[in-house]
mmCIF file of all heavy atoms in Angstrom:
data_model
loop_
_atom_site.group_PDB
_atom_site.id
_atom_site.type_symbol
_atom_site.label_atom_id
_atom_site.label_comp_id
_atom_site.label_asym_id
_atom_site.label_seq_id
_atom_site.Cartn_x
_atom_site.Cartn_y
_atom_site.Cartn_z
ATOM 1 N N ALA M 27 -5.868 -7.821 -16.554
ATOM 2 C CA ALA M 27 -6.959 -8.488 -15.734
ATOM 3 C C ALA M 27 -6.350 -9.032 -14.433
ATOM 4 O O ALA M 27 -7.106 -8.924 -13.463
ATOM 5 C CB ALA M 27 -7.546 -9.647 -16.724
ATOM 6 N N THR M 29 -3.863 -8.135 -12.792
ATOM 7 C CA THR M 29 -3.303 -7.115 -11.847
ATOM 8 C C THR M 29 -4.594 -6.519 -11.220
ATOM 9 O O THR M 29 -4.527 -6.097 -10.108
ATOM 10 C CB THR M 29 -2.468 -6.115 -12.662
ATOM 11 O OG1 THR M 29 -1.405 -6.792 -13.313
ATOM 12 C CG2 THR M 29 -1.906 -5.010 -11.689
ATOM 13 N N LEU M 60 0.902 7.958 -4.536
ATOM 14 C CA LEU M 60 2.024 8.229 -5.098
ATOM 15 C C LEU M 60 3.215 7.658 -4.350
ATOM 16 O O LEU M 60 4.101 7.124 -4.958
ATOM 17 C CB LEU M 60 2.285 9.823 -5.107
ATOM 18 C CG LEU M 60 1.330 10.585 -6.041
ATOM 19 C CD1 LEU M 60 1.588 12.066 -5.935
ATOM 20 C CD2 LEU M 60 1.540 10.127 -7.541
ATOM 21 N N THR M 63 3.147 3.750 -4.975
ATOM 22 C CA THR M 63 3.511 3.463 -6.244
ATOM 23 C C THR M 63 4.996 3.573 -6.456
ATOM 24 O O THR M 63 5.701 2.795 -7.180
ATOM 25 C CB THR M 63 2.782 4.433 -7.265
ATOM 26 O OG1 THR M 63 1.413 4.248 -7.005
ATOM 27 C CG2 THR M 63 3.108 4.130 -8.812
ATOM 28 N N ALA M 117 -8.872 18.097 19.553
ATOM 29 C CA ALA M 117 -9.165 18.546 18.152
ATOM 30 C C ALA M 117 -8.099 17.957 17.174
ATOM 31 O O ALA M 117 -6.986 17.892 17.517
ATOM 32 C CB ALA M 117 -9.134 19.998 17.943
ATOM 33 N N LEU M 142 7.886 -7.905 -3.268
ATOM 34 C CA LEU M 142 8.998 -7.975 -4.115
ATOM 35 C C LEU M 142 9.246 -9.244 -4.716
ATOM 36 O O LEU M 142 9.372 -9.363 -6.045
ATOM 37 C CB LEU M 142 10.306 -7.694 -3.203
ATOM 38 C CG LEU M 142 11.606 -7.867 -3.914
ATOM 39 C CD1 LEU M 142 11.917 -6.893 -4.986
ATOM 40 C CD2 LEU M 142 12.805 -7.759 -2.892
ATOM 41 N N ALA M 179 -8.567 4.410 -7.428
ATOM 42 C CA ALA M 179 -9.975 4.019 -7.346
ATOM 43 C C ALA M 179 -10.423 3.761 -5.921
ATOM 44 O O ALA M 179 -11.515 4.183 -5.440
ATOM 45 C CB ALA M 179 -10.344 2.766 -8.161
ATOM 46 N N ALA M 208 -5.059 -3.008 10.391
ATOM 47 C CA ALA M 208 -5.124 -4.044 9.319
ATOM 48 C C ALA M 208 -3.928 -3.897 8.466
ATOM 49 O O ALA M 208 -3.315 -5.029 8.020
ATOM 50 C CB ALA M 208 -6.343 -3.843 8.488
#
Side-chain angles (χ1 to χ4, degrees):
T29 307
L60 291 177
T63 303
L142 173 63

